[in-house]
Amino acid sequence: MIDFGESHRAEMASDIAIALKELIIYGKAINWKILKTYLDAYQKINKLNREELMALPFLIRRRIVFMLSYYVGKKDKIKVKKELGVLKLLQRNKKLLEDFCNLYAKK
């Protein structure tokens, strides 16, 4: 499910980044197969261009920072910890995520 709540204020690729972030958040490792499957399905409906695909790593991290600020304001320590865990996971896999997006954009 995609929440289009921010669609009127953000890039179209932001919704995809939000969905990808949520797919990432539920594991201790990035499941590349799930990310590819999601992007494949989305590309059949509304194709992202190369620039949008290459922006996804940044847009995912931007969403995490947004959610961190939201949860800090709500004083929700559990969700702050969860978002920080996802951010750390992405930082450990930053190059892999960028390479994944680059390879995907060349399809």
Side-chain angles (χ1 to χ4, degrees), residues 76-95:
D76 189 332
K77 292 179 182 180
I78 292 170
K79 290 189 179 172
V80 167
K81 185 177 178 180
K82 190 175 183 181
E83 294 292 332
L84 284 172
V86 175
L87 187 58
K88 288 177 185 175
L89 175 64
L90 286 175
Q91 285 306 108
R92 284 193 308 269
N93 291 280
K94 182 180 178 192
K95 179 80 169 110

mmCIF file of all heavy atoms in Angstrom, residues 76-95:
data_model
loop_
_atom_site.group_PDB
_atom_site.id
_atom_site.type_symbol
_atom_site.label_atom_id
_atom_site.label_comp_id
_atom_site.label_asym_id
_atom_site.label_seq_id
_atom_site.Cartn_x
_atom_site.Cartn_y
_atom_site.Cartn_z
ATOM 1 N N ASP A 76 8.659 9.116 21.121
ATOM 2 C CA ASP A 76 8.443 7.688 20.922
ATOM 3 C C ASP A 76 9.810 7.014 20.756
ATOM 4 O O ASP A 76 10.318 6.851 19.643
ATOM 5 C CB ASP A 76 7.559 7.448 19.691
ATOM 6 C CG ASP A 76 7.117 6.014 19.542
ATOM 7 O OD1 ASP A 76 7.853 5.112 20.007
ATOM 8 O OD2 ASP A 76 6.050 5.788 18.945
ATOM 9 N N LYS A 77 10.398 6.619 21.859
ATOM 10 C CA LYS A 77 11.757 6.066 21.858
ATOM 11 C C LYS A 77 11.861 4.768 21.067
ATOM 12 O O LYS A 77 12.883 4.504 20.437
ATOM 13 C CB LYS A 77 12.234 5.833 23.288
ATOM 14 C CG LYS A 77 12.442 7.113 24.061
ATOM 15 C CD LYS A 77 12.883 6.833 25.472
ATOM 16 C CE LYS A 77 13.022 8.137 26.233
ATOM 17 N NZ LYS A 77 13.443 7.916 27.622
ATOM 18 N N ILE A 78 10.820 3.964 21.080
ATOM 19 C CA ILE A 78 10.851 2.686 20.356
ATOM 20 C C ILE A 78 10.955 2.930 18.851
ATOM 21 O O ILE A 78 11.774 2.315 18.162
ATOM 22 C CB ILE A 78 9.610 1.837 20.697
ATOM 23 C CG1 ILE A 78 9.684 1.397 22.159
ATOM 24 C CG2 ILE A 78 9.494 0.630 19.767
ATOM 25 C CD1 ILE A 78 8.426 0.756 22.694
ATOM 26 N N LYS A 79 10.141 3.849 18.339
ATOM 27 C CA LYS A 79 10.175 4.123 16.897
ATOM 28 C C LYS A 79 11.431 4.882 16.496
ATOM 29 O O LYS A 79 11.945 4.685 15.398
ATOM 30 C CB LYS A 79 8.899 4.845 16.471
ATOM 31 C CG LYS A 79 7.705 3.903 16.536
ATOM 32 C CD LYS A 79 6.479 4.493 15.928
ATOM 33 C CE LYS A 79 5.343 3.474 16.004
ATOM 34 N NZ LYS A 79 4.074 4.030 15.612
ATOM 35 N N VAL A 80 11.943 5.741 17.386
ATOM 36 C CA VAL A 80 13.213 6.415 17.112
ATOM 37 C C VAL A 80 14.314 5.367 16.956
ATOM 38 O O VAL A 80 15.103 5.412 16.004
ATOM 39 C CB VAL A 80 13.569 7.436 18.221
ATOM 40 C CG1 VAL A 80 15.022 7.884 18.109
ATOM 41 C CG2 VAL A 80 12.637 8.633 18.165
ATOM 42 N N LYS A 81 14.349 4.411 17.871
ATOM 43 C CA LYS A 81 15.359 3.349 17.810
ATOM 44 C C LYS A 81 15.221 2.549 16.516
ATOM 45 O O LYS A 81 16.219 2.220 15.870
ATOM 46 C CB LYS A 81 15.213 2.432 19.021
ATOM 47 C CG LYS A 81 16.276 1.384 19.110
ATOM 48 C CD LYS A 81 16.127 0.549 20.370
ATOM 49 C CE LYS A 81 17.189 -0.532 20.394
ATOM 50 N NZ LYS A 81 17.096 -1.362 21.595
ATOM 51 N N LYS A 82 13.990 2.264 16.120
ATOM 52 C CA LYS A 82 13.746 1.505 14.891
ATOM 53 C C LYS A 82 14.245 2.270 13.666
ATOM 54 O O LYS A 82 14.928 1.715 12.807
ATOM 55 C CB LYS A 82 12.242 1.231 14.780
ATOM 56 C CG LYS A 82 11.838 0.267 13.720
ATOM 57 C CD LYS A 82 10.327 0.023 13.832
ATOM 58 C CE LYS A 82 9.851 -0.991 12.856
ATOM 59 N NZ LYS A 82 8.410 -1.222 12.940
ATOM 60 N N GLU A 83 13.926 3.555 13.591
ATOM 61 C CA GLU A 83 14.375 4.375 12.455
ATOM 62 C C GLU A 83 15.886 4.503 12.433
ATOM 63 O O GLU A 83 16.501 4.454 11.369
ATOM 64 C CB GLU A 83 13.721 5.762 12.494
ATOM 65 C CG GLU A 83 12.222 5.765 12.287
ATOM 66 C CD GLU A 83 11.786 5.374 10.896
ATOM 67 O OE1 GLU A 83 12.536 5.592 9.919
ATOM 68 O OE2 GLU A 83 10.660 4.847 10.770
ATOM 69 N N LEU A 84 16.504 4.662 13.592
ATOM 70 C CA LEU A 84 17.966 4.733 13.650
ATOM 71 C C LEU A 84 18.590 3.425 13.168
ATOM 72 O O LEU A 84 19.613 3.434 12.492
ATOM 73 C CB LEU A 84 18.441 5.049 15.068
ATOM 74 C CG LEU A 84 18.274 6.496 15.515
ATOM 75 C CD1 LEU A 84 18.603 6.642 16.999
ATOM 76 C CD2 LEU A 84 19.124 7.436 14.677
ATOM 77 N N GLY A 85 17.952 2.312 13.493
ATOM 78 C CA GLY A 85 18.434 1.017 13.017
ATOM 79 C C GLY A 85 18.389 0.927 11.500
ATOM 80 O O GLY A 85 19.321 0.419 10.871
ATOM 81 N N VAL A 86 17.305 1.432 10.912
ATOM 82 C CA VAL A 86 17.189 1.422 9.443
ATOM 83 C C VAL A 86 18.242 2.335 8.833
ATOM 84 O O VAL A 86 18.873 1.991 7.836
ATOM 85 C CB VAL A 86 15.771 1.844 8.997
ATOM 86 C CG1 VAL A 86 15.691 1.940 7.486
ATOM 87 C CG2 VAL A 86 14.738 0.871 9.515
ATOM 88 N N LEU A 87 18.446 3.507 9.436
ATOM 89 C CA LEU A 87 19.457 4.437 8.932
ATOM 90 C C LEU A 87 20.843 3.800 8.976
ATOM 91 O O LEU A 87 21.610 3.888 8.011
ATOM 92 C CB LEU A 87 19.428 5.735 9.734
ATOM 93 C CG LEU A 87 20.309 6.863 9.227
ATOM 94 C CD1 LEU A 87 19.957 7.242 7.790
ATOM 95 C CD2 LEU A 87 20.196 8.070 10.146
ATOM 96 N N LYS A 88 21.164 3.123 10.061
ATOM 97 C CA LYS A 88 22.461 2.439 10.173
ATOM 98 C C LYS A 88 22.588 1.338 9.115
ATOM 99 O O LYS A 88 23.641 1.180 8.505
ATOM 100 C CB LYS A 88 22.637 1.853 11.573
ATOM 101 C CG LYS A 88 22.872 2.906 12.632
ATOM 102 C CD LYS A 88 22.955 2.286 14.004
ATOM 103 C CE LYS A 88 23.056 3.361 15.072
ATOM 104 N NZ LYS A 88 23.017 2.792 16.433
ATOM 105 N N LEU A 89 21.501 0.591 8.923
ATOM 106 C CA LEU A 89 21.499 -0.457 7.898
ATOM 107 C C LEU A 89 21.771 0.137 6.522
ATOM 108 O O LEU A 89 22.573 -0.389 5.752
ATOM 109 C CB LEU A 89 20.154 -1.192 7.909
ATOM 110 C CG LEU A 89 19.922 -2.237 6.822
ATOM 111 C CD1 LEU A 89 20.902 -3.398 6.976
ATOM 112 C CD2 LEU A 89 18.488 -2.735 6.866
ATOM 113 N N LEU A 90 21.125 1.249 6.226
ATOM 114 C CA LEU A 90 21.331 1.905 4.926
ATOM 115 C C LEU A 90 22.750 2.445 4.802
ATOM 116 O O LEU A 90 23.345 2.371 3.728
ATOM 117 C CB LEU A 90 20.320 3.026 4.723
ATOM 118 C CG LEU A 90 18.908 2.571 4.400
ATOM 119 C CD1 LEU A 90 17.972 3.759 4.348
ATOM 120 C CD2 LEU A 90 18.864 1.810 3.096
ATOM 121 N N GLN A 91 23.281 2.985 5.877
ATOM 122 C CA GLN A 91 24.645 3.512 5.824
ATOM 123 C C GLN A 91 25.650 2.388 5.583
ATOM 124 O O GLN A 91 26.596 2.555 4.835
ATOM 125 C CB GLN A 91 24.989 4.278 7.105
ATOM 126 C CG GLN A 91 24.325 5.648 7.173
ATOM 127 C CD GLN A 91 24.605 6.511 5.962
ATOM 128 O OE1 GLN A 91 23.724 6.733 5.138
ATOM 129 N NE2 GLN A 91 25.807 7.012 5.839
ATOM 130 N N ARG A 92 25.423 1.229 6.203
ATOM 131 C CA ARG A 92 26.319 0.081 5.985
ATOM 132 C C ARG A 92 26.218 -0.426 4.552
ATOM 133 O O ARG A 92 27.159 -1.010 4.022
ATOM 134 C CB ARG A 92 25.977 -1.056 6.951
ATOM 135 C CG ARG A 92 26.443 -0.854 8.359
ATOM 136 C CD ARG A 92 26.364 -2.136 9.173
ATOM 137 N NE ARG A 92 25.069 -2.792 9.143
ATOM 138 C CZ ARG A 92 24.076 -2.576 10.011
ATOM 139 N NH1 ARG A 92 24.241 -1.700 10.982
ATOM 140 N NH2 ARG A 92 22.939 -3.232 9.908
ATOM 141 N N ASN A 93 25.066 -0.214 3.926
ATOM 142 C CA ASN A 93 24.821 -0.720 2.569
ATOM 143 C C ASN A 93 24.681 0.403 1.551
ATOM 144 O O ASN A 93 24.128 0.188 0.470
ATOM 145 C CB ASN A 93 23.550 -1.573 2.569
ATOM 146 C CG ASN A 93 23.728 -2.853 3.322
ATOM 147 O OD1 ASN A 93 24.291 -3.808 2.802
ATOM 148 N ND2 ASN A 93 23.277 -2.884 4.566
ATOM 149 N N LYS A 94 25.194 1.579 1.876
ATOM 150 C CA LYS A 94 25.018 2.758 1.013
ATOM 151 C C LYS A 94 25.489 2.497 -0.412
ATOM 152 O O LYS A 94 24.755 2.746 -1.366
ATOM 153 C CB LYS A 94 25.765 3.949 1.614
ATOM 154 C CG LYS A 94 25.602 5.217 0.821
ATOM 155 C CD LYS A 94 26.365 6.369 1.451
ATOM 156 C CE LYS A 94 26.192 7.593 0.584
ATOM 157 N NZ LYS A 94 27.097 8.653 0.937
ATOM 158 N N LYS A 95 26.696 1.998 -0.554
ATOM 159 C CA LYS A 95 27.251 1.746 -1.885
ATOM 160 C C LYS A 95 26.439 0.678 -2.616
ATOM 161 O O LYS A 95 26.167 0.811 -3.811
ATOM 162 C CB LYS A 95 28.721 1.324 -1.756
ATOM 163 C CG LYS A 95 29.397 1.014 -3.066
ATOM 164 C CD LYS A 95 29.819 2.271 -3.783
ATOM 165 C CE LYS A 95 30.719 1.940 -4.954
ATOM 166 N NZ LYS A 95 30.101 2.166 -6.238
#
